[in-house]
């Protein structure tokens, strides 16, 4: 969860720099004024957050080689399907 908070902070810093200091205006125009577009992005991002959290749980419960094999097997199964 700390990594997600750090990514949120860094993305806000980049948006602040890109918009020339108008971060609040950018958030209002792109997120608050257009809630359906924000929802389209929120759903995959929440799934990604769950996946990352589960990867940390798996890493803490499996040995390193077993974790690597199972993690890399998703690439193989995706290629086969």
């Amino acid at each position: 969860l700390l990594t997600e908070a750090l990514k949120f902070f860094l993305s806000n810093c980049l948006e602040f720099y890109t918009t020339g200091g108008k971060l609040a205006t950018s958030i209002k125009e792109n997120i608050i004024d257009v809630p359906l577009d924000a929802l389209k992005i929120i759903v995959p991002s929440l799934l990604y957050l769950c996946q990352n959290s589960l990867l940390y749980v798996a890493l803490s419960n499996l040995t390193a080689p077993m974790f690597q094999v199972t993690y890399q097997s998703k690439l193989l199964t995706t290629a086969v399907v």
Side-chain angles (χ1 to χ4, degrees), residues 3-73:
T3 56
E4 299 300 323
L6 181 63
K7 285 192 265 184
F8 179 72
F9 175 74
L10 288 175
S11 64
N12 278 328
C13 289
L14 288 172
E15 183 69 18
F16 182 82
Y17 176 75
T18 304
T19 59
K22 298 180 180 174
L23 178 63
T25 305
S26 176
I27 289 173
K28 183 178 181 314
E29 289 175 355
N30 297 315
I31 297 173
I32 296 172
D33 291 345
V34 193
L36 289 178
D37 286 345
L39 280 176
K40 291 177 187 175
I41 294 173
I42 288 173
V43 172
S45 66
L46 288 176
L47 291 173
Y48 180 73
L49 174 68
C50 290
Q51 179 187 10
N52 276 348
S53 299
L54 290 173
L55 283 175
Y56 283 119
V57 170
L59 185 58
S60 65
N61 291 320
L62 296 173
T63 62
M66 181 61 84
F67 174 77
Q68 279 297 329
V69 167
T70 55
Y71 186 73
Q72 295 299 326
S73 68

